[in-house]
Amino acid sequence: MLDDIDRRILRHYQADPSLSAAELAERCRISSGVCWRRVEKMQAAGIIQGQEAVIDWAALGFAVEVSLRVTLDKTQPRAFDDFIEAARKVPEVIEIQTFLGRVDVRLSVIARDMAHYQQLYRDRILTLPHIADIEALMHIARLKRDEVLPV
C-alpha cells in the first residue's frame, strides 16, 4: 500500500498536477529520482490514472447543463449495452453514470442555450434505445467540485 512519502506525493500532485518532477520532489522533500520512480510505480498500479484539463464549458458558449435520470426498459436483454453505446456517440453527453435502483443511468448533457438543448433532447436523447422513463434536472449552480482525495 501507500506509505507517507507516496501520500505526500499524491497530496502535492493533486493540488498541482502541472508540477515538474523536480518541483514535486522539492515539495515532498525527496530526490527527483525517488519521486519520479514512485510516480511511475503509482501510475503502473493504476493509482494515478493521468492528468486532465478542466475546461469551463460556459466560457466556450455552453450555458445549459442538464442531468437526465433515465430508467431503461429492462425487459430488453441488451438495454444497458445498447443505450450506453448510443449515448456515448452524443458529443454533448459529457458524463454517463450507471446505478442500481429505480434510476438506471444518469447523463450529464451540455448545450449552448435552451433552444439547442430542446433540439438535442428531441433529436438525440429521446431517440436513444430502450428508454422507459426519463427525468430532467436543470443544473443551477455547482457548489462543490472536488476530486481531491484525502490522502
Side-chain angles (χ1 to χ4, degrees):
M1 283 310 296
L2 301 178
D3 63 13
D4 288 340
I5 294 171
D6 291 331
R7 283 191 284 281
R8 214 175 323 146
I9 290 169
L10 288 174
R11 275 194 300 276
H12 289 287
Y13 194 62
Q14 286 183 112
D16 187 358
S18 67
L19 291 172
S20 69
E23 292 168 324
L24 183 59
E26 183 179 322
R27 289 189 186 185
C28 294
R29 298 180 311 276
I30 57 176
S31 73
S32 292
V34 168
C35 183
W36 184 246
R37 281 190 298 277
R38 285 179 176 252
V39 167
E40 284 185 324
K41 183 179 172 185
M42 287 187 279
Q43 288 172 334
I47 295 167
I48 298 174
Q49 295 182 346
Q51 293 177 310
E52 61 184 29
V54 179
I55 298 169
D56 181 354
W57 296 107
L60 294 176
F62 290 89
V64 173
E65 183 177 347
V66 178
S67 180
L68 298 173
R69 297 192 300 190
V70 180
T71 303
L72 299 174
D73 176 5
K74 291 178 273 304
T75 64
Q76 303 297 316
R78 290 196 36 86
F80 274 91
D81 295 335
D82 292 347
F83 179 86
I84 290 170
E85 181 182 333
R88 285 178 192 235
K89 294 177 183 173
V90 179
E92 295 85 355
V93 172
I94 60 171
E95 185 175 23
I96 302 171
Q97 295 179 336
T98 59
F99 297 93
L100 292 174
R102 192 184 73 76
V103 172
D104 298 309
V105 181
R106 187 186 69 78
L107 304 178
S108 287
V109 178
I110 57 171
R112 290 184 300 279
D113 52 34
M114 285 306 292
H116 179 222
Y117 172 72
Q118 184 179 19
Q119 176 264 324
L120 177 67
Y121 184 75
R122 288 179 180 172
D123 297 345
R124 300 294 306 271
I125 302 299
L126 289 179
T127 60
L128 293 172
H130 311 298
I131 295 175
D133 188 34
I134 190 166
E135 177 184 11
L137 301 170
M138 180 64 64
H139 175 83
I140 302 298
R142 181 165 282 111
L143 303 177
K144 180 179 180 182
R145 179 187 175 153
D146 196 358
E147 295 187 20
V148 174
L149 297 175
V151 291

